[in-house]
């Protein structure tokens, strides 16, 4: 029988089909301009709602899932590092799709695309606004209208984050395994040739691009109490990739899903008895210290088009007031390229 359980491994959510999701703390961006990717500053702790039946609200117990502590206006991103094989992952913010802006659905769609194609999509920092950008996830309380849910649907009922995974169909999975065997055989032959070349010329083996794993050198390693949801903050350079597989390659029904409740630090302490994480780091101090920001580029992938619904979502500053945290632009040398290097154009001459 297929396992549909979602499990917690440390602070990683593991959904059926090999999907791994971590919630990563990060620097909150200014709400004007477009910025490089902010760093990961450690994982949010994640706990099962069912482990605290006497202290969580009744409606949380009914929804089940997990919870994590987040400060007002704190920013986060979702890391998918460790996802074992191809999967389609739906991400909802207050049951609004963070990719398409459409209502939450138990079915995959490509018109418009309402999911992320993993593992090609390494992370998601915010809602898809198209043209190579997203707007950062920022925590806000329900009831003000500032959440994506409130602005898109006109009401704030759900809050939190919703995740739902779809594995490959049996036929597509068999073909994936076949292609993986061929790829591993090819890589084995290339590694043999690379070792010979390094031995002959003294070249060092190439270093892999930094993966979202350790911070700050890489991206990340983000009565009923008041509920929290996600609004949006500043814009950053990040693509949400078009899935190149046909829809028939994915299973028709989801393999598993989970509701992620967002808890204020005082609520976290009251519910779990644990001390919450310290308040977020000051971004100006981070930048002044010369620590890195990031730029991720995949030359073989295509970006999804923007959606009218999500393009119209306003940042939380429009609802909660101006962002008074100072901003210091990182120097060019602080922005570290990940994956493919775009490179400088080659100049032609007379010949």
């Amino acid at each position: 029988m297929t396992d549909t359980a979602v499990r917690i491994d440390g602070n990683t959510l593991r959904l059926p089909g090999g999907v791994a999701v971590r919630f990563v703390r990060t620097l909150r961006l200014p709400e004007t301009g477009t910025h490089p990717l902010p760093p990961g500053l450690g994982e949010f702790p994640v706990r099962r709602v069912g482990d605290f039946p006497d202290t969580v609200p009744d409606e949380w117990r009914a929804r089940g899932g997990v919870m994590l502590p987040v400060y007002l206006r704190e920013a986060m991103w979702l890391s998918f590092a460790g996802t074992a094989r191809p999967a389609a992952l739906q991400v909802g913010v207050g049951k609004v799709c963070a990719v398409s802006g459409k209502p939450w659905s138990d079915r995959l769609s490509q018109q418009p695309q309402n999911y992320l194609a993993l593992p090609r999509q390494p992370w998601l920092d915010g809602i898809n606004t198209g043209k190579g950008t997203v707007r950062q996830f920022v925590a806000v309380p329900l009831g003000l209208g500032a959440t994506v849910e409130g602005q898109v649907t006109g009401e704030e009922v759900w809050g939190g984050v919703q995740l739902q995974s779809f594995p490959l169909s049996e036929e597509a999975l068999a073909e994936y395994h076949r292609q993986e065997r061929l790829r591993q055989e090819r890589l084995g032959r290339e590694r043999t040739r690379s070792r010979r070349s390094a031995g002959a010329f003294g070249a060092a083996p190439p270093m892999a691009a930094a993966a979202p794993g350790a911070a700050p050198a890489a991206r990340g390693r983000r009565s009923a109490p008041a509920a929290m949801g996600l609004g949006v903050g500043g814009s950053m350079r990040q693509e949400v990739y078009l899935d190149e597989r046909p829809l028939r390659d994915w299973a028709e029904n989801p393999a598993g899903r989970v509701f992620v409740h967002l808890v204020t630090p005082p609520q976290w302490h009251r519910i779990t008895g644990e001390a919450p994480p310290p308040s977020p780091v000051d971004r100006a101090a981070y930048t002044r210290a010369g620590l890195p920001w990031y730029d991720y580029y995949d030359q073989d992938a295509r970006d999804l088009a923007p959606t009218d619904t999500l393009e119209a979502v306003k940042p939380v500053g429009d609802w909660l007031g101006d962002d008074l945290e100072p901003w210091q632009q990182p120097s060019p040398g602080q922005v570290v390229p990940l994956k493919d290097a775009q490179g400088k154009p080659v100049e032609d001459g007379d010949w």
Side-chain angles (χ1 to χ4, degrees):
M1 190 170 83
T2 303
D3 183 10
T4 60
V6 177
R7 305 183 188 279
I8 298 179
D9 179 7
N11 293 321
T12 300
L13 286 179
R14 297 200 179 276
L15 282 73
V19 173
V21 182
R22 289 181 299 126
F23 294 84
V24 185
R25 306 183 79 194
T26 190
L27 300 175
R28 185 163 50 89
L29 297 174
E31 294 177 357
T32 56
T34 300
H35 307 279
L37 302 178
L41 300 174
E43 301 168 357
F44 286 94
V46 178
R47 302 289 182 266
R48 294 190 333 138
V49 167
D51 289 339
F52 304 94
D54 298 328
T55 50
V56 298
D58 292 340
E59 62 265 34
W60 291 18
R61 288 203 303 272
R63 294 172 185 174
V66 300
M67 57 186 174
L68 60 85
V70 60
Y71 286 82
L72 174 65
R73 277 191 166 185
E74 184 172 8
M76 69 168 63
W77 53 276
L78 279 59
S79 168
F80 312 123
T83 296
R85 56 180 178 268
L89 179 69
Q90 292 178 321
V91 178
V93 286
K95 295 188 72 171
V96 173
C97 177
V99 177
S100 69
K102 299 295 184 181
W104 186 253
S105 171
D106 289 332
R107 292 287 185 269
L108 296 180
S109 167
Q110 291 184 335
Q111 300 294 331
Q113 185 174 312
N114 67 348
Y115 61 93
L116 303 171
L118 306 187
R120 162 149 272 176
Q121 189 77 41
W123 43 59
L124 183 70
D125 286 65
I127 63 169
N128 171 38
T129 44
K131 301 175 185 176
T133 65
V134 301
R135 295 212 73 152
Q136 189 174 40
F137 291 134
V138 175
V140 287
L142 303 189
L144 303 176
T147 62
V148 176
E149 175 186 4
Q151 295 187 58
V152 171
T153 70
E155 56 183 1
E156 295 178 318
V157 176
W158 299 99
V161 178
Q162 298 76 40
L163 302 171
Q164 189 162 253
S165 63
F166 292 73
L168 289 171
S169 65
E170 291 185 8
E171 297 80 4
L173 183 60
E175 175 61 18
Y176 164 75
H177 284 313
R178 188 183 75 83
Q179 293 292 340
E180 277 296 289
R181 285 193 297 271
L182 294 175
R183 188 178 71 87
Q184 292 299 330
E185 292 170 2
R186 184 171 63 253
L187 286 175
R189 293 192 295 270
E190 290 175 354
R191 278 195 294 267
T192 300
R193 289 195 295 269
S194 176
R195 283 196 294 269
R196 290 173 182 166
S197 174
F201 299 101
M207 294 184 66
R219 282 206 83 216
R221 247 266 211 237
R222 186 210 227 170
S223 65
M228 298 277 281
L230 289 180
V232 301
S235 178
M236 73 187 77
R237 294 185 289 275
Q238 181 178 110
E239 294 180 329
V240 178
Y241 295 134
L242 177 71
D243 184 18
E244 296 178 350
R245 290 181 177 273
L247 201 58
R248 64 176 179 274
D249 274 7
W250 300 111
E252 186 174 345
N253 298 309
R257 66 176 196 164
V258 61
F259 195 109
V260 182
H261 303 266
L262 305 181
V263 184
T264 66
Q267 291 167 5
W268 176 263
H269 184 263
R270 184 183 62 79
I271 291 171
T272 68
E274 301 176 27
S279 60
V281 69
D282 177 84
R283 68 186 177 214
Y286 178 95
T287 304
R288 281 197 306 270
L291 297 171
W293 295 70
Y294 298 91
D295 189 17
Y296 186 90
Y297 174 67
D298 188 334
Q299 62 186 6
D300 297 321
R302 290 189 293 164
D303 184 35
L304 283 178
T307 68
D308 292 341
T309 305
L310 295 181
E311 273 194 308
V313 173
K314 296 178 181 178
V316 298
D318 286 10
W319 304 81
L320 304 182
D322 292 337
D323 176 7
L324 301 179
E325 188 179 348
W327 168 242
Q328 179 173 338
Q329 188 74 22
S331 65
Q334 283 181 266
V335 181
V336 179
L338 302 177
K339 203 176 189 302
D340 301 326
Q342 298 189 49
K344 296 181 179 178
V346 176
E347 296 180 0
D348 196 10
D350 296 328
W351 55 292

